[in-house]
């Protein structure tokens, strides 16, 4: 079963100061002004905060799970992921 936005909403509901916003028809989750999770318009890609020291290792180790951010949207501490099933997230 693929991870759905409703699953993410359930997970983030209990996080302090976390809230959901719609920006350019995209769903983003924030703490204050910092976006820590965002979905593409078609919900097939998910961008999220990730330790920049570990990004290269994740990209090399799991090339089927993680993608580089687009150069125009690249943040020093972000990474993109294809929409995954819940089992893939735990492995």
């Amino acid at each position: 079963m693929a991870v759905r936005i409703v699953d993410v909403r359930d997970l983030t509901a209990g996080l302090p100061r976390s809230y959901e916003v719609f920006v350019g028809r995209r769903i983003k989750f924030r703490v204050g002004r910092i976006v820590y999770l965002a979905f593409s318009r078609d919900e097939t890609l998910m961008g999220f905060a990730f330790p920049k020291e570990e990004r290269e290792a994740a990209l090399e180790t799991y090339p089927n799970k993680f993608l580089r951010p687009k150069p125009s949207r690249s943040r020093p501490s972000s990474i993109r992921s294809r929409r995954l099933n819940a089992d893939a997230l735990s492995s």
Side-chain angles (χ1 to χ4, degrees), residues 38-84:
F39 285 89
S40 62
R41 287 185 180 127
D42 62 1
E43 299 178 19
T44 59
L45 294 174
M46 179 173 64
F48 54 94
F50 197 84
K52 65 181 174 182
E53 303 82 26
E54 299 175 21
R55 179 169 58 179
E56 289 303 317
L59 291 167
E60 292 173 13
T61 306
Y62 302 104
N64 294 331
K65 289 184 183 182
F66 300 122
L67 305 165
R68 292 191 180 284
K70 290 182 179 179
S72 62
R73 296 183 184 264
S74 182
R75 301 284 186 265
S77 58
S78 69
I79 197 168
R80 292 186 307 157
S81 174
R82 293 179 179 88
R83 189 169 174 202
L84 301 171

Side-chain angles (χ1 to χ4, degrees), residues 7-48:
D7 300 325
V8 173
R9 283 185 183 125
D10 290 344
L11 182 68
T12 60
L15 297 176
R17 302 186 330 236
S18 178
Y19 61 97
E20 180 179 340
V21 295
F22 294 92
V23 179
R25 297 187 336 244
R26 296 172 198 235
I27 298 172
K28 298 185 178 198
F29 293 87
R30 292 182 175 175
V31 171
R33 294 177 52 194
I34 299 169
V35 175
Y36 66 90
L37 179 66
F39 285 89
S40 62
R41 287 185 180 127
D42 62 1
E43 299 178 19
T44 59
L45 294 174
M46 179 173 64
F48 54 94

